[in-house]
Amino acid sequence: MPSFLLHILLLSCILFTPTDSSDGDGDGDLVDQICKKTPFYDLCSSILHSNPLAPKSDPKGMALIMVNGILTNATDTLSYIEELIKQTSDEQLEQQLAFCAESYIPVVKYILPQAADAINQGRFGFASYCIVDAQKEVNACDKKFSGSTQAPLSDRNDIMQKLVDVAAAIIKLLLNG
């Protein structure tokens, strides 16, 4: 399962990313400065520090890296959902998964690409709107399994939610100048 490996890789990046950075130099580490203003510092830091372009980037570039990270994760989750649909014989689970696929498809095909375009164009208000829309779609999927004993997407939806929260915080910084 390549998606499971991505999840493990992401978690190991979080666990083994040094949180002590070069606060001593006048410039500081812009990645750390930005990530400290997000709700999930470790997640933000691990994703941005793992991208070779991020340390040379400005907040706009970092927002774009985060949105592309969310897109990669959402695409992987959609593929995972499609595999689960093929494997299940449980009709109710299949319907719940199909609903989640319907939630993730616009996130992957339209919402996140539009957010990335908006960031590139400096339209941070629209980018913020797109991120909130992606968050709503992930929440809708998650709610399909509330009260259910089987929630095969809860970990994935949780990571998506955290990634979206980080991206939203970075975009908010851009909006506030």
Side-chain angles (χ1 to χ4, degrees):
M1 274 189 195
S3 59
F4 178 72
L5 294 175
L6 177 67
H7 186 65
I8 296 298
L9 176 65
L10 186 60
L11 285 175
S12 49
C13 285
I14 292 168
L15 295 174
F16 300 114
T17 298
T19 55
D20 233 34
S21 244
S22 57
D23 288 5
D25 53 12
D27 186 24
D29 184 347
L30 186 59
V31 169
D32 284 343
Q33 291 173 23
I34 296 292
C35 289
K36 284 178 184 171
K37 296 176 182 172
T38 70
F40 302 101
Y41 170 82
D42 290 339
L43 180 63
C44 174
S45 180
S46 70
I47 288 173
L48 292 179
H49 278 296
S50 70
N51 186 310
L53 300 176
K56 299 175 184 106
S57 189
D58 58 359
K60 179 179 168 181
M62 290 180 202
L64 197 55
I65 290 167
M66 285 304 303
V67 168
N68 286 329
I70 298 168
L71 180 58
T72 299
N73 193 288
T75 302
D76 184 59
T77 299
L78 180 57
S79 296
Y80 180 72
I81 292 168
E82 291 167 347
E83 283 303 310
L84 288 177
I85 289 171
K86 289 177 191 172
Q87 294 171 5
T88 189
S89 57
D90 180 332
E91 194 174 313
Q92 181 183 359
L93 179 60
E94 184 178 345
Q95 288 175 353
Q96 291 167 318
L97 290 168
F99 178 86
C100 285
E102 293 291 324
S103 295
Y104 269 88
I105 288 169
V107 170
V108 169
K109 292 191 181 235
Y110 307 108
I111 298 170
L112 292 174
Q114 287 177 341
D117 287 345
I119 290 168
N120 276 328
Q121 296 168 12
R123 296 172 46 224
F124 306 126
F126 185 68
S128 180
Y129 171 81
C130 291
I131 294 298
V132 168
D133 201 24
Q135 190 172 35
K136 287 178 185 175
E137 293 293 342
V138 172
N139 285 340
C141 169
D142 218 26
K143 286 180 183 171
K144 264 303 187 194
F145 292 98
S146 67
S148 172
T149 54
Q150 359 178 36
L153 302 174
S154 62
D155 288 345
R156 288 170 174 275
N157 286 340
D158 184 52
I159 286 184
M160 276 293 292
Q161 189 66 49
K162 289 176 179 171
L163 289 169
V164 166
D165 288 347
V166 169
I170 296 172
I171 292 169
K172 185 177 180 184
L173 292 172
L174 292 169
L175 275 170
N176 294 337

